[in-house]
Amino acid sequence: MVQLTGTAAERALTVRWLLDELLRDGRIEAAEAERIARISRFGEEAKLHPLEWIGAQKPVDAIAGKPLTADGLLAWLGERVKQPWHPIDPLKINVAAVTEVMSFAFAQRHRILAVEVTPERVTVASAEPFLHQWEMNLEHVIRRPIRRVLARPSDIDRYTIEFYQLARSVRGASGGEGRSTAVTNFEQLLELGSLKDPDANDAHIVNIVDWLLQYAFDQRASDIHLEPRREVGQVRFRIDGVLYNVYELPLQVALAVIARVKILGRMNVAEKRRPQDGRLKTVNPDGNEVELRLATLPTAFGEKLVMRIFDPDVLLRSFEQLGLANEDYKRWTSMISRPHGIVLVTGPTGSGKTTTLYSSLKQLATPEVNVCTIEDPIEMVEDSFNQMQVQHNIDLDFASGVRALLRQDPDIIMIGEIRDLETAEMAIQAALTGHLVLSTLHTNDAPSALTRLLELGVPAYLIKATVLGVMAQRLVRTLCPHCKQPGPVDDSAWQQLVTPWKVTVPAQGFHPQGCLECRNTGYHGRQGIYEILTMSEPVQALVDDGVGLDPLRRQAMKEGMRTLRLSGAQKVAAGQTTIEEVMRVAPAPR
């Protein structure tokens, strides 16, 4: 450990000092240190903090044999000075609490940021372990001990600005702008009698909405939930299929934020008793246009709002990127390449059905064909399709919509969902008259789609004549490539996954570890697992009014269909996901 005392201890890090210490610890070779020192003589390092500047030069770690990044340098330095490296994860920080610890000016002057606040102590992140002047002043004000940690200088600079701007906007919207920092919550503001209901067009509310959207894009969120509670408004993000608490807004501020989003989505702001739908377009940090679908719901404490974010890059993804590969890919492309018939995709809400259909239609929508869709609502607007939205207030439902589409000389029709017999009959009529029809059903697996059509009242002979195949799907989180660790596969868990089938346990699997790239979850992104049933002659022979699921499933598996769990097991064996993740999303065989 570095021991510095007296006035010598109060000093900032330098490139030269860091290089000398890395050399002394055997982390870099002398030639590498000389190379970086030679570059530093040109004064370029003045633009960056020494830790980040050395990391940008990508010195080779003499111990690990790979480039030593700024994060690696912080981890090394943290061990030496007994100040642990603390990657800043904004999803785990109570912004309201950390911004009350010190003023923005104090935090910016000393380049420090509180990252955790408890009744016992306050954890403060810094990139300068040998600067201590601020500690005594801060401890005197907060009357609690300080625990010091190291963090990336760029993260400290960025989140200091973001957190304090957000806190200032929330205080301003709550009517607390300019008050003493002792006013820390909504109830105190009420007691002081200074709270006014914020206006949806207030500059502070506009700033909060802008922050919320940009923050969601930065965190790869697929949905934003604004949920009024008794005393606060809860903000949650869905990331890789899992919800995370992000922030708690004062209730009146949360309601004003919801009103602001409704204005942007051209919804009726005055109507708060009925559910409403809307959409808005904005731009993500990369400058790409992003569309959000809005939906409100009246609850006991006010309107709840969910914003579903549609990534424009979804339509550009290949089937391989979606997780559809090898034999499943051949089966699917064979079905959708047929000139006429019905292809069904099944699964619960949020299982990726829409993404699969849009990606398929995008490939089918060549200039030589006419692709028409009817949806409720239109999920993503695409120039190469002719899209129509269901409007129940004028009796434009799926069935009447398909009837209208048939007069539009279509080649390919996509029906958002088959919900009733009338819609199913129109889809069958379209298939019988020479059109390829793609649609969805809500069933647990692929064979269940055939029995669902029978339950709706579709005659067995029409199912045999028109249905080309069914694909059931789910989305599983994929392991983070930066931190996943190899390890043995639990034999009992594997047997539970593949039961009742006999599948050899893979020699090695991978397990989630957690790193900065994946926000310490161990997972990064999602892929599909698929179960594809093709309507072969033996399967058609089993489709009858009294057919059971088991005979259908057994016959389909004889012909090469893998169940969802077996498809997931294949991804486990390939090191792409875990047994626990597959079992979480895929139903057990019945």
Side-chain angles (χ1 to χ4, degrees):
M1 174 181 173
V2 177
Q3 297 289 347
L4 294 174
T5 58
T7 57
E10 195 69 33
R11 69 172 188 181
L13 296 175
T14 64
V15 171
R16 184 72 261 176
W17 184 86
L18 287 168
L19 290 175
D20 288 344
E21 297 304 311
L22 285 167
L23 198 57
R24 184 175 292 115
D25 283 358
R27 298 303 296 268
I28 61 173
E29 303 289 348
E32 192 79 333
E34 182 57 35
R35 176 183 71 86
I36 297 172
R38 191 162 51 247
I39 299 172
S40 72
R41 294 192 189 107
F42 295 100
E44 294 181 6
E45 79 279 7
K47 301 174 186 176
L48 289 173
H49 188 279
L51 284 165
E52 294 197 318
W53 189 84
I54 293 177
Q57 309 313 310
K58 299 180 179 178
V60 176
D61 189 334
I63 296 176
K66 58 184 180 181
L68 194 59
T69 63
D71 290 339
L73 287 167
L74 280 163
W76 159 78
L77 183 61
E79 290 179 3
R80 287 187 114 248
V81 301
K82 302 302 180 188
Q83 293 181 20
W85 173 46
H86 184 93
I88 298 178
D89 183 354
L91 288 177
K92 296 180 180 177
I93 290 180
N94 184 339
V95 176
V98 301
T99 52
E100 291 294 339
V101 169
M102 66 189 88
S103 69
F104 173 67
F106 188 86
Q108 199 169 44
R109 181 165 67 251
H110 296 287
R111 292 187 78 176
I112 58 177
L113 178 65
V115 291
E116 185 180 354
V117 179
T118 67
E120 293 77 29
R121 67 180 181 184
V122 174
T123 302
V124 179
S126 165
E128 294 289 350
F130 304 135
L131 296 183
H132 305 277
Q133 285 184 343
W134 53 268
E135 284 187 57
M136 187 177 297
N137 292 334
L138 187 59
E139 280 189 338
H140 178 72
V141 173
I142 63 176
R143 301 181 184 279
R144 273 171 287 180
I146 290 172
R147 173 178 175 258
R148 292 193 56 163
V149 294
L150 293 178
R152 288 189 70 153
S154 56
D155 285 349
I156 292 172
D157 293 343
R158 172 191 172 184
Y159 291 120
T160 297
I161 294 172
E162 285 190 14
F163 292 168
Y164 280 90
Q165 282 183 343
L166 174 63
R168 188 182 302 119
S169 294
V170 172
R171 281 199 302 270
S174 301
E177 186 72 19
R179 287 198 168 274
S180 162
T181 55
V183 180
T184 59
N185 58 52
F186 183 61
E187 289 77 6
Q188 287 173 300
L189 288 168
L190 273 175
E191 290 170 7
L192 291 166
S194 63
L195 184 67
K196 61 181 178 65
D197 287 349
D199 184 79
N201 294 313
D202 183 273
H204 295 299
I205 298 299
V206 172
N207 288 338
I208 294 171
V209 172
D210 288 344
W211 166 82
L212 190 62
L213 296 178
Q214 297 306 312
Y215 189 29
F217 299 147
D218 185 55
Q219 296 295 322
R220 302 183 296 107
S222 61
D223 301 84
I224 305 170
H225 291 241
L226 288 168
E227 303 172 341
R229 299 288 192 253
R230 187 180 298 276
E231 297 176 350
V232 298
Q234 186 77 52
V235 180
R236 300 200 288 173
F237 289 170
R238 187 178 295 279
I239 303 170
D240 292 338
V242 179
L243 278 169
Y244 294 87
N245 290 331
V246 174
Y247 199 83
E248 286 188 353
L249 294 167
L251 183 58
Q252 295 303 320
V253 174
L255 295 177
V257 167
I258 291 171
R260 172 68 184 169
V261 175
K262 288 174 68 177
I263 290 171
L264 295 174
R266 297 181 177 85
M267 299 160 75
N268 185 349
V269 182
E271 180 57 78
K272 300 179 182 179
R273 301 165 301 168
R274 296 181 181 177
Q276 294 187 64
D277 294 317
R279 56 196 330 125
L280 66 86
K281 288 185 178 180
T282 185
V283 176
N284 66 15
D286 297 326
N288 298 322
E289 189 177 78
V290 176
E291 189 163 306
L292 292 89
R293 197 182 80 196
L294 316 176
T296 65
L297 184 75
T299 71
F301 303 113
E303 278 187 297
K304 176 183 185 292
L305 172 70
V306 174
M307 293 179 269
R308 174 161 285 188
I309 302 170
F310 291 105
D311 184 354
D313 294 335
V314 163
L315 295 177
L316 304 176
R317 291 178 187 165
S318 65
F319 287 125
E320 187 176 348
Q321 289 173 311
L322 297 176
L324 192 63
N326 303 325
E327 190 62 31
D328 287 343
Y329 169 75
K330 293 177 185 176
R331 284 168 163 251
W332 178 249
T333 52
S334 172
M335 288 193 296
I336 64 174
S337 299
R338 302 277 288 276
H340 54 83
I342 298 175
V343 178
L344 297 171
V345 181
T346 77
T349 301
S351 60
K353 300 188 301 296
T354 301
T355 299
T356 298
L357 288 175
Y358 271 86
S359 298
S360 301
L361 289 176
K362 182 71 173 176
Q363 296 196 22
L364 295 172
T366 61
E368 293 80 22
V369 297
N370 176 19
V371 179
C372 298
T373 76
I374 177 161
E375 306 168 60
D376 184 22
I378 294 173
E379 302 274 14
M380 289 174 272
V381 177
E382 169 55 37
D383 291 340
S384 55
F385 311 157
N386 300 293
Q387 296 171 280
M388 176 168 63
Q389 179 160 325
V390 166
Q391 298 186 55
H392 296 287
N393 58 326
I394 56 172
D395 296 325
L396 177 58
D397 55 17
F398 281 117
S400 58
V402 175
R403 193 175 292 111
L405 289 181
L406 288 175
R407 295 192 287 269
Q408 292 290 314
D409 186 31
D411 296 291
I412 300 169
I413 296 172
M414 195 269 272
I415 304 172
E417 183 185 348
I418 294 177
R419 299 174 179 171
D420 50 43
L421 177 59
E422 189 179 7
T423 305
E425 288 175 340
M426 290 308 304
I428 287 169
Q429 182 180 333
L432 289 172
T433 51
H435 305 89
L436 179 65
V437 179
L438 279 69
S439 189
T440 69
L441 278 174
H442 287 291
T443 62
N444 281 331
D445 56 17
S448 299
L450 301 178
T451 57
R452 176 62 54 83
L453 291 175
L454 291 170
E455 289 166 3
L456 287 175
V458 179
Y461 74 91
L462 287 178
I463 296 175
K464 297 177 186 180
T466 56
V467 177
L468 301 175
V470 184
M471 180 166 77
Q473 69 176 78
R474 298 291 190 277
L475 293 177
V476 294
R477 292 183 294 171
T478 52
L479 287 164
C480 174
H482 301 280
C483 65
K484 66 180 183 180
Q485 295 293 320
V489 176
D490 186 298
D491 184 70
S492 61
W494 177 264
Q495 297 305 331
Q496 188 179 353
L497 175 66
V498 300
T499 299
W501 302 278
K502 302 296 183 184
V503 183
T504 305
V505 181
Q508 178 181 274
F510 284 83
H511 306 282
Q513 187 71 18
C515 68
L516 194 60
E517 293 290 333
C518 61
R519 301 179 316 280
N520 292 314
T521 64
Y523 297 94
H524 192 286
R526 290 190 292 175
Q527 275 197 349
I529 55 174
Y530 303 93
E531 175 180 297
I532 302 180
L533 178 151
T534 54
M535 287 291 285
S536 64
E537 289 186 6
V539 172
Q540 287 180 348
L542 291 171
V543 176
D544 207 342
D545 294 288
V547 71
L549 280 175
D550 285 342
L552 278 172
R553 188 177 290 111
R554 282 196 298 269
Q555 181 59 41
M557 291 194 69
K558 283 181 185 177
E559 298 174 8
M561 181 189 86
R562 284 198 310 272
T563 65
L564 289 166
R565 285 202 168 187
L566 288 179
S567 177
Q570 189 176 39
K571 290 191 182 296
V572 171
Q576 295 174 320
T577 188
T578 62
I579 294 174
E580 296 76 19
E581 182 63 16
V582 175
M583 293 180 68
R584 182 179 70 86
V585 301
R590 290 178 296 171

